[in-house]
Amino acid sequence: EIVLTQSPGTLSLSPGERATLSCRASQSVSSSYLAWYQQKPGQAPRLLIYGASSRATGIPDRFSGSGSGTDFTLTISRLEPEDFAVYYCQQYGSSPPTFGPGTKVDIK
Amino acid sequence: QLQLQESGPGLVKPSETLSLTCTVSGGSISSSSYYWGWIRQPPGKGLEWIGSIYYSGSTYYNPSLKSRVTISVDTSKNQFSLKLSSVTAADTAVYYCASPVSNPRGWFDPWGQGTLVTVSS
């Protein structure tokens, strides 16, 4: 199965700053079949990005995804207070679908 | 707008079978447009796909759990269910039902709110 590694484990930033989160796969993710989710404490994950770069319905344009092959990035252009959360990547190009361990974005 | 809601016991004894149900609203479980799936998250840890099902009954399981998992659909109740046998403390987790998009192992949207299942005697 494809193992996903996310870095950094924790990202400490201030509101208004730019956040860059990395997701690296142990082998190439076919057709850029990669998604990103946001999870806040006590809540279910919320889909942000699919197909590596397509925003889900209702997701603000400050969230953007990029990458291909084994290296993918989620960028939050200007952090809003509600963006402090844990972010997971997921690959669905190979079975079984797998998730990364998450990156926590917390307030500096 | 599709909505999912998990239900079932919050406490299961070791060696017994965990049983959860997901009720679907805002859409038909028999629709050819949807797949249905289960994902779990141990406390403080990451996410693990358990398996998925199509309304026809075709199932897709994570090889790591396949020997213990059964997912089924009840079209009359617009529900799908998860059974996990021979549970241990390692199966303690928040269990989410979710809809994988475009294929049984796709990205997941939407998700239910999740239900915590604790395995303990």
Side-chain angles (χ1 to χ4, degrees), chain A residues 1 33 35 37 39 42-47 50-51 56 88 90-92 94-97 99-101, chain B residues 39 41 45-49 61-64 96 101-109 111-114:
Chain A
E1 70 178 45
Y33 283 166
Y37 301 86
Q39 187 177 36
Q43 297 185 15
R46 171 196 181 197
L47 176 70
Y50 62 93
Y88 294 96
Q90 178 222 340
Q91 68 80 23
Y92 50 95
S94 173
S95 187
F99 294 84
Chain B
I39 296 157
Q41 184 174 35
K45 296 188 178 180
L47 298 155
E48 179 182 35
W49 174 71
Y61 297 139
N62 191 322
S64 68
Y96 296 101
V101 181
S102 80
N103 71 70
R105 307 174 188 90
W107 70 91
F108 296 92
D109 185 48
W111 297 58
Q113 66 183 29

Side-chain angles (χ1 to χ4, degrees), chain B residues 15-92:
Chain B
S15 80
E16 295 189 345
T17 296
L18 177 160
S19 296
L20 295 174
T21 297
C22 183
T23 300
V24 177
S25 58
S28 172
I29 204 165
S30 299
S31 169
S32 59
S33 301
Y34 302 119
Y35 291 89
W36 311 103
W38 290 97
I39 296 157
R40 69 180 183 178
Q41 184 174 35
K45 296 188 178 180
L47 298 155
E48 179 182 35
W49 174 71
I50 299 170
S52 301
I53 191 166
Y54 196 42
Y55 78 98
S56 62
S58 297
T59 52
Y60 311 83
Y61 297 139
N62 191 322
S64 68
L65 296 168
K66 186 175 183 178
S67 64
R68 298 194 292 131
V69 173
T70 302
I71 298 176
S72 59
V73 167
D74 186 337
T75 55
S76 67
K77 296 181 179 179
N78 226 36
Q79 295 175 334
F80 63 103
S81 298
L82 168 69
K83 291 188 186 300
L84 182 65
S85 64
S86 305
V87 298
T88 69
D91 295 310
T92 293

Side-chain angles (χ1 to χ4, degrees), chain A residues 25-86:
Chain A
S26 60
Q27 53 189 279
S28 184
V29 177
S30 62
S31 305
S32 295
Y33 283 166
L34 189 108
W36 289 94
Y37 301 86
Q38 176 193 70
Q39 187 177 36
K40 297 180 180 179
Q43 297 185 15
R46 171 196 181 197
L47 176 70
L48 299 174
I49 301 286
Y50 62 93
S53 60
S54 297
R55 268 188 303 276
T57 303
I59 301 303
D61 61 6
R62 65 180 180 273
F63 291 92
S64 63
S66 63
S68 64
T70 61
D71 290 301
F72 298 87
T73 300
L74 175 70
T75 301
I76 311 171
S77 58
R78 293 174 310 280
L79 282 164
E80 298 287 340
E82 62 268 28
D83 298 337
F84 292 93
V86 179

